Amino acid sequence: MENKNTEQSLILPFRLLKYTFVIVPIVAGADKFTNLLAHWEQYLDPSLAAMLPLPGATFMKIVGVIEIIAGIIVLKKPQAGGYIVAAWLTLIALTLLVGFEYVDVAVRDLVMAVSAFVMARIAKIVS
């Protein structure tokens, strides 16, 4: 009986996290094409941008496509998607820390990565 109560108490937090990690990556990914919410190229460290074989704007559009796909994976397969989003956010945070210019955003992304990881773990229980 205890396991059933534990599972029931995790359903609402799981759903909140799941839909957060569906909506936010899709919106952020789509915004890489419009720059309505942010000018995303500013977050690209110049030393990393210099190593890219393509313009920063093109790179950010590729990032946007990856984020949209990640959001769709969370919708369809929340456990796998949660691990993908957690890894993606961790990678973004690490690249932001390279230039040590957007530390606040890097910390936020690491907190979101932990949340995505927790969602993936809860998915194993409630799915």
Side-chain angles (χ1 to χ4, degrees), residues 108-121:
R108 183 209 57 206
D109 284 356
L110 287 172
V111 170
M112 289 189 338
V114 169
S115 300
F117 177 81
V118 169
M119 184 213 57
R121 296 297 299 247

Side-chain angles (χ1 to χ4, degrees), residues 29-49:
D31 195 54
K32 301 296 189 292
F33 293 87
T34 63
N35 289 311
L36 293 175
L37 300 175
H39 183 69
W40 295 99
E41 278 184 74
Q42 75 181 351
Y43 297 108
L44 188 55
D45 185 83
S47 63
L48 295 175

